[in-house]
Structures are given as structure tokens and as C-alpha cells.
Amino acid sequence: DGDVRGVCRPVCASAQSCDEDAPVCDRAESMCRPCYPGEDALCLARSSSTPKCGPSGRCVQCVAVAQSGGVAEVKECQGKDSLSTAPVCDSKTAACRACQLHSECASGVCAKDDSGRAWGVGRGSCVPVAQVLTVDQSLCSRSGPVFCTLRQAVERLDATHRYVLLRRAASTMDFTDLQIGNQPGQQDLSIHVIGPLADQSPAQARTLPLVQLGGVMGKDALTVTSAKVTVEGVYIKGGRAGLVCLGSGAQLRVVRSFITGADTGVIAASGCQLTVEQSWFGRGPAQGVYSDTVGNKRSIEITSADFAISGSVFADNGDYRTDSFGGVRVRSLTAGKTTRSSLINNTFFQQSGLLKLGKYYSGVLCDGVAGDRLAVVNTLFLTEMPLLTTPYEEHYIDPSCGAVLSHLASNDPTLTDDGSLVLPMDTAVLRDGPGRDLRLSSSIPQSGTTVRNGGIPVFKVGADSLSAPAVDQDGKPRVLTGAGVSIGAYEP
């Protein structure tokens, strides 16, 4: 049979005999046709797995609503399960999926990892509004549920309120000199502090965040003790130290955050486990909202702690006038442990360093021998000027670290082992080094093309396998098979 458009349609007795393109059995005509708006009931009768009529005339699992902030998708997809692991309607597939961005959830918080599983919050679920402590100076009261300061929210952290969402701040005094983990009920909790940069690369912001941590001279912004804290998408500026992690029971994870102008960006000590991913330390790109930012006097200091740093950028940190080291300084790793620390797929550009035994180092410095407990892999080291040869030699990595080095790219002729690449100084591998656009150039000269695919997806040291991060600084997937991954924080 056919309709007025001349399209052949199969004769049907029920919807089960109709295909996906024409899922409805028209009773009057006894033929299959597309569904029309408002015919959700017919789609539900056909199959409970595709109960909605989509724009294409097919029966689908869900229908995404534009600019809903996740609210409509959550209500439509989750059904009776308030912590569904597929709460978001994907506009491309018209199917429910796990959340990927905080902005997809009505509460403003997506569980992007499994750290909340012990509390019933699985990866990919939208955290219920009742579990989120929101900080917004424009909508707040001291008693909540929206708080005026981060200090007020931190005081209410417990097993049922482990997420703090930062939206808007006022006085820097209320967003500095804070501690998590020292209050009863906070020990051993998995806590998240989420800022406006959480869903993007920190350097991609189009406007400066309306909230920041730090900014008070002589005071640390946030100290973590006896808790597992993720700081995600937070702008940290000025003050004595941006983030401090102390104690064997403390874990600090820094993700997609921008840290600038501090005496020390991050301090990890006394057994802390530090993880840094997709973050930016120092001076930002000239063409963007961070054009006026400055470097940290010290980026990261490690004292009797273990760390893993990946997909991050270090630009213009250090201050030789105050004997401050701009790169990563390892005073000591945690004593009595065999845990391996690592720097994987990072970009270091124009750090100020320190003089040690007649040589000047500006990337990684060790106060003692780390040996193979420290690995530096797939990392790019560059400066604006050629390395000095007199009156002292200039290098990126202190050889007294004894670290395992593999697949590095730099203009330092001493970094040549295990697949590393020495670049001529005139090789333009960055889009705009002087402007601090440190993404890989689209027209790298032949001498620098190995930067694009000269990294290693998995590096084995001892019994451990150290993997390149799954995504780069911009959130682009890395190519983990075939030719290899790029060297540095960015995929080409």
C-alpha cells in the first residue's frame, strides 16, 4: 500500500510488525507510518524501551530538551531511580546516557568518578540537589541551602553533604585560610570542591570566574588533612600557598584548575598523595581572560609525599630573586614506601630555576635521590631563548634525581635517552610560544613532527605500568594505539 507521498508502506496488524523508520501501525489504514508529536503512548505500547516519539518520527528512548540545563533530561531518563547512571538524554542518539558534564545535571554536579560509590553515588549519575552545598554570594544565607562563603559550606561537610559547588564569591577573606579534614565527621570522606572551570580546559574560559580561592597575603587558600579531596575547575590566585595537603591519610586531586600568583601553587607533605590533571600553573595565554596573570614563585613542592602530574601546563613560574623554583621540586618522596611518582604528558615553558652544583635547573629539581620511584615521560620542555652554556650550564632536569626519563622533547641535548627528542631552537612546535598559546602548531616543521606522535601510550617501570592520560589539556581524546601519543599536554 502507499500514502499520498507515494511512499510504499507495509500492511500491518500490530506495531510489532513495523520497523524503526515507521514504528506506528495506523489502525484506519492498516499500514505502518512514522509517529507524530503527542503519540508517546503509541511508542510506549510498542516497546517500553523506546517510549517517546522523536523528531524524526521514530520511537526513541528519550527526547532532549534544548537549554534545559539537564533538568528535563534527568526527569525523563531516570524514571524511579533518583541516582540513575544514565540520567541524561543525548541529543544525537535520543538515548539515555551517563552524565559527562556538571552542567548536564539539575544540581550542577555530575559524579564523574567512582569516589562516591560507597555513599550510593555511582559514576555517571547526577548528584541529588540535597547532597550539594552551593556557594553563591547573590542567592545566599548563612544557614543555606545556598551559602555565602566557602567557609560556611566547609563547616557543613559530612557523609551526606560531600559536594561543594562554587558559583559566586565576594571577599577573598572568606575563601582563604580554609581546612578540610580537621573537623569531626570529615575524616576519610571523599569530598569534591567544584568551580566554574570544571567542564572545560582552564585556559578556555571566556570570562574570569566569579569565584576564586586565595588572595590574602601570608595565608594559604585551602589545606587538606585526613580526607580525600578533589578540587575541580577552581581558579586559585595569590596568597602564600594555593593548596596544601598534609598527612598520610590525606589525598588531594587537582583537576582542570588554574593556579596563578601564589608564593607556592601546591604543597604536598607528610605522606599526602597528590594528583594533578589538566591544570595550568602560572601565566596564561595573552589572547584570553588570563592575559594579566603571573607565575607562581614556586609551582609544586613535594616533601615526604607521592604524586602523579599529567596533562598540565607550567608557564613562567619561579622567582630567582627569592630562590624560588618554578618547576616541580622534590625534596623527598614518602619514606618507607615503594609508590612511584610520575610526570606524564606535561608542558613546561619558560620556568625560572635554581643553581645547584654549578648548573642551573628549571624543570624538575631533587634535594635527594628519587631513583626509579620517579618517572618523567612524554613531557615537553621549552624556553624562549636557547639554554645557557656559560657561565653555567642550563638544563631542565636535575640528574641527581636519578629519575627514569623516557620520550621527552626539549632543546636540551642531555635529554636524549629512551626515545627522547632534542629539538633545534628554531623549531616552532607551539602555536604561539611568546603569547603562551602552548598548543601544538598545525604546521610543525619536519624536525619537530615527532612531537606529534613520539610519545608512548604505556610506559613500564619495574612492575608498574604508567599510562598516558586518556584526554589532553583541552579534553580531546588521546590516540592511545597505533602511532603513539603526542609529547606534552596537548594532542595536535
Side-chain angles (χ1 to χ4, degrees):
D1 204 345
D3 60 16
V4 294
R5 293 171 296 175
V7 178
C8 293
R9 302 291 186 193
V11 175
C12 62
S14 68
Q16 282 65 36
S17 61
C18 297
D19 61 25
E20 293 182 0
D21 291 327
V24 174
C25 183
D26 190 303
R27 292 184 178 181
E29 301 293 337
S30 297
M31 65 181 181
C32 298
R33 62 167 174 81
C35 65
Y36 300 139
E39 293 187 328
D40 289 352
L42 295 180
C43 286
L44 177 61
R46 180 176 185 268
S47 173
S48 60
S49 63
T50 54
K52 301 289 181 178
C53 179
S56 65
R58 288 186 170 198
C59 291
V60 296
Q61 189 175 15
C62 62
V63 178
V65 179
Q67 298 179 344
S68 65
V71 178
E73 290 91 324
V74 170
K75 289 181 178 179
E76 186 168 291
C77 286
Q78 71 184 13
K80 297 179 181 180
D81 183 5
S82 63
L83 281 170
S84 167
T85 54
V88 177
C89 184
D90 192 298
S91 60
K92 295 181 180 179
T93 64
C96 295
R97 60 163 172 80
C99 64
Q100 299 169 350
L101 304 174
H102 294 300
S103 58
E104 292 177 328
C105 295
S107 64
V109 179
C110 168
K112 296 182 180 180
D113 57 34
D114 278 324
S115 62
R117 188 167 293 280
W119 292 272
V121 182
R123 181 196 295 264
S125 61
C126 286
V127 178
V129 173
Q131 296 187 23
V132 179
L133 304 172
T134 300
V135 179
D136 189 333
Q137 186 70 31
S138 63
L139 301 168
C140 66
S141 69
R142 182 174 181 82
S143 59
V146 179
F147 299 93
C148 300
T149 73
L150 178 55
R151 189 179 306 279
Q152 294 166 358
V154 165
E155 291 172 352
R156 289 163 175 77
L157 286 167
D158 57 29
T160 58
H161 302 90
R162 298 178 298 102
Y163 301 87
V164 180
L165 181 62
L166 303 179
R167 293 195 183 278
R168 183 186 293 267
S171 171
T172 56
M173 289 295 297
D174 295 321
F175 289 79
T176 196
D177 198 25
L178 301 164
Q179 294 195 19
I180 294 178
N182 65 330
Q183 298 184 38
Q186 294 183 3
Q187 289 79 8
D188 300 320
L189 288 183
S190 178
I191 294 168
H192 293 251
V193 179
I194 302 163
L197 306 177
D199 283 344
Q200 60 189 341
S201 165
Q204 290 177 331
R206 296 182 179 180
T207 58
L208 281 174
L210 297 176
V211 57
Q212 72 174 58
L213 296 188
V216 179
M217 184 178 297
K219 292 185 179 294
D220 304 331
L222 175 64
T223 299
V224 174
T225 59
S226 303
K228 304 174 181 66
V229 178
T230 295
V231 174
E232 182 183 3
V234 177
Y235 184 41
I236 302 169
K237 182 180 180 182
R240 183 169 60 188
L243 301 170
V244 181
C245 180
L246 301 173
S248 58
Q251 295 180 18
L252 172 62
R253 180 171 174 246
V254 186
V255 187
R256 284 180 293 281
S257 293
F258 197 105
I259 304 176
T260 175
D263 289 347
T264 306
V266 177
I267 296 174
S270 305
C272 166
Q273 297 180 42
L274 171 68
T275 303
V276 178
E277 304 168 16
Q278 295 175 268
S279 293
W280 187 293
F281 291 79
R283 175 184 165 191
Q287 301 300 318
V289 298
Y290 299 110
S291 59
D292 294 331
T293 55
V294 297
N296 304 284
K297 292 180 180 178
R298 292 169 290 272
S299 292
I300 296 180
E301 295 243 338
I302 306 294
T303 303
S304 190
D306 301 304
F307 64 94
I309 303 170
S310 65
S312 295
V313 169
F314 297 78
D316 299 89
N317 299 287
D319 186 348
Y320 66 90
R321 297 168 299 180
T322 59
D323 200 36
S324 300
F325 188 72
V328 177
R329 185 169 186 173
V330 183
R331 296 185 182 273
S332 60
L333 299 176
T334 304
K337 286 191 174 183
T338 59
T339 306
R340 282 192 165 83
S341 292
S342 60
L343 285 141
I344 302 179
N345 282 104
N346 302 289
T347 294
F348 288 77
F349 191 85
Q350 199 66 28
Q351 314 305 307
S352 293
L354 290 178
L355 191 64
K356 179 179 179 180
L357 299 177
K359 295 183 180 180
Y360 185 83
Y361 302 105
S362 60
V364 181
L365 185 72
C366 293
D367 289 35
V369 178
D372 68 358
R373 283 188 62 190
L374 174 60
V376 186
V377 184
N378 294 352
T379 293
L380 179 63
F381 297 90
L382 289 177
T383 57
E384 291 182 309
M385 302 292 291
L387 298 180
L388 297 173
T389 57
T390 57
Y392 44 74
E393 293 182 23
E394 186 178 11
H395 300 286
Y396 295 112
I397 299 179
D398 177 5
S400 71
C401 292
V404 176
L405 311 179
S406 184
H407 294 78
L408 311 180
S410 72
N411 58 326
D412 186 345
T414 66
L415 299 180
T416 59
D417 296 334
D418 293 327
S420 295
L421 175 68
V422 177
L423 301 167
M425 188 58 210
D426 59 355
T427 302
V429 298
L430 304 175
R431 289 196 184 184
D432 181 12
R436 299 312 185 257
D437 184 345
L438 304 182
R439 293 172 291 178
L440 295 179
S441 171
S442 58
S443 57
I444 295 178
Q446 185 62 37
S447 58
T449 53
T450 308
V451 175
R452 290 178 176 274
N453 57 14
I456 187 169
V458 179
F459 178 70
K460 293 186 177 181
V461 51
D464 295 334
S465 294
L466 305 176
S467 298
V471 295
D472 74 350
Q473 168 85 195
D474 281 338
K476 293 167 53 179
R478 288 195 179 273
V479 182
L480 297 179
T481 58
V485 301
S486 66
I487 295 177
Y490 294 98
E491 279 292 296

